[in-house]
Amino acid sequence: MRTCRRALTVLALTLPLTAMGAVPVVDDNSGSAGSSYPPSGYGTAGAYAGGGATAQPSAQGQLFMQLQQMQDEISRLRGIVEVQQNDIQQMKQEALDRYKDLDSRIGAGGAPAAPAANNSASDGGVNAGGASAASAGAAAAQASQTSTEPGDPAKEKLYYDAAFDLIKAKDFDKASQAFAAFLRKYPNSQYAGNAQYWLGEVNLAKGDLQGAGQAFAKVSQLYPKHAKVPDSLYKLADVERRLGHTDKVKGILQQVVAQYPGTSAAQLAQRDLQRL
């Protein structure tokens, strides 16, 4: 009996201990049973710092980046505007220079600078663009065939003066039309050389560089002995410069200096050659 009682007593004492050993350990601070340790999110900042994950930019960061991009775009646009303003200013200055130059030439008078005999082509005449005197004579002969009226100096002068008055009135479109019509009617007139030259001036004042260059070139081609040839060649060099044909400018200026020494055009050409 004593042995049975001792066995029961030992069994009663060992059962609670066995039951306690089977109960799992629960971390009360984790908020739920079975959660991992360390808690979720632990060390996240350290992972960002160490490159373990890519941090998304905050709203403030995104706003800063957008502002920076806008500032860069504004700076680029300002640069474009400044370039355009400089180009416009240069164009205005060139137009003003053309008008001043035209005014000074108008003030010098529009009367013919050479008699009718000097309008015809002759041996030894110069030609812009490398045309020979013979080709200039052929061009003049071809132009004479377009004349629709016989020569009448009084009528020609009235027609020419009317066209020149349009220049004084700054009506360059009508002046261009008037001089072109005059040259079609009276290509052999004593006023034709002057009319051809002023047609170039009018087209230049209009900003028609192609038309101006063609008109100036024809002065030396059709009227190689005319007194306006040096001026027309110098103005042709100016047109070629404006068109960006720098390879032609130097040759024309050298032609003026070599073949027309002592003229105002030669002096201006020499100055321009020194600047090239």
Side-chain angles (χ1 to χ4, degrees), residues 9 26 36 56 78 81 87 93 111 115 150 183 194 202-203 208 215 221:
T9 301
V26 178
S36 62
Q56 295 296 326
R78 283 178 177 173
V81 171
D87 290 343
Q93 186 61 45
L183 290 167
N194 271 39
V202 169
N203 287 337
D208 181 7
Q221 293 171 357

Side-chain angles (χ1 to χ4, degrees), residues 46-62:
Y48 288 161
T54 301
Q56 295 296 326
S58 63
Q60 292 179 346
Q62 291 179 350

Side-chain angles (χ1 to χ4, degrees), residues 91-152:
M91 293 172 61
K92 287 182 178 179
Q93 186 61 45
E94 288 182 353
L96 180 60
D97 291 341
R98 290 199 299 269
Y99 290 144
K100 288 181 178 179
D101 181 65
L102 184 58
D103 282 336
S104 65
R105 293 176 183 274
I106 292 173
N118 284 347
N119 281 336
S120 62
S122 63
D123 293 339
V126 298
N127 288 282
S132 63
S135 63
Q142 182 180 2
S144 65
Q145 296 177 359
T146 64
S147 179
T148 59
E149 295 185 14
D152 185 348

Side-chain angles (χ1 to χ4, degrees), residues 8-20:
L8 291 174
T9 301
V10 171
L11 181 61
L13 292 173
T14 57
L15 282 174
L17 294 175
T18 303
M20 291 176 63

Side-chain angles (χ1 to χ4, degrees), residues 54-237:
T54 301
Q56 295 296 326
S58 63
Q60 292 179 346
Q62 291 179 350
L63 179 60
F64 175 78
M65 293 173 61
Q66 292 175 357
L67 290 175
Q68 187 65 39
Q69 291 175 354
M70 292 175 62
Q71 289 177 352
D72 293 342
E73 182 66 15
I74 290 172
S75 298
R76 187 181 68 84
L77 293 175
R78 283 178 177 173
I80 294 175
V81 171
E82 289 178 0
V83 171
Q84 292 178 344
Q85 287 177 341
N86 290 335
D87 290 343
I88 292 172
Q89 186 63 33
Q90 183 177 359
M91 293 172 61
K92 287 182 178 179
Q93 186 61 45
E94 288 182 353
L96 180 60
D97 291 341
R98 290 199 299 269
Y99 290 144
K100 288 181 178 179
D101 181 65
L102 184 58
D103 282 336
S104 65
R105 293 176 183 274
I106 292 173
N118 284 347
N119 281 336
S120 62
S122 63
D123 293 339
V126 298
N127 288 282
S132 63
S135 63
Q142 182 180 2
S144 65
Q145 296 177 359
T146 64
S147 179
T148 59
E149 295 185 14
D152 185 348
K155 192 172 184 179
E156 292 168 11
K157 188 176 188 307
L158 288 174
Y159 205 135
Y160 176 85
D161 288 343
F164 197 80
D165 287 341
L166 290 171
I167 300 181
K168 294 179 180 180
K170 301 294 191 296
D171 194 342
F172 300 130
D173 288 330
K174 290 184 179 179
S176 177
Q177 296 172 7
F179 279 119
F182 177 88
L183 290 167
R184 287 194 298 270
K185 282 179 174 291
Y186 309 111
N188 294 322
S189 168
Q190 63 176 332
Y191 302 96
N194 271 39
Q196 187 67 59
Y197 171 81
W198 285 108
L199 178 60
E201 288 281 11
V202 169
N203 287 337
L204 184 61
K206 289 169 53 181
D208 181 7
L209 296 180
Q210 294 289 348
Q214 293 173 2
F216 286 132
K218 285 183 178 180
V219 176
S220 62
Q221 293 171 357
L222 300 179
Y223 315 104
K225 300 295 289 185
H226 197 280
K228 282 292 187 183
V229 170
D231 289 338
S232 66
L233 288 174
Y234 177 76
K235 299 296 288 189
L236 177 60

Side-chain angles (χ1 to χ4, degrees), residues 250-274:
K250 186 175 182 179
I252 298 174
L253 293 177
Q254 289 175 338
Q255 180 182 1
V256 175
V257 172
Q259 298 184 0
Y260 302 98
T263 63
S264 59
Q267 295 174 0
L268 293 172
Q270 185 64 49
R271 179 202 63 185
D272 291 351
L273 283 171
Q274 294 174 354

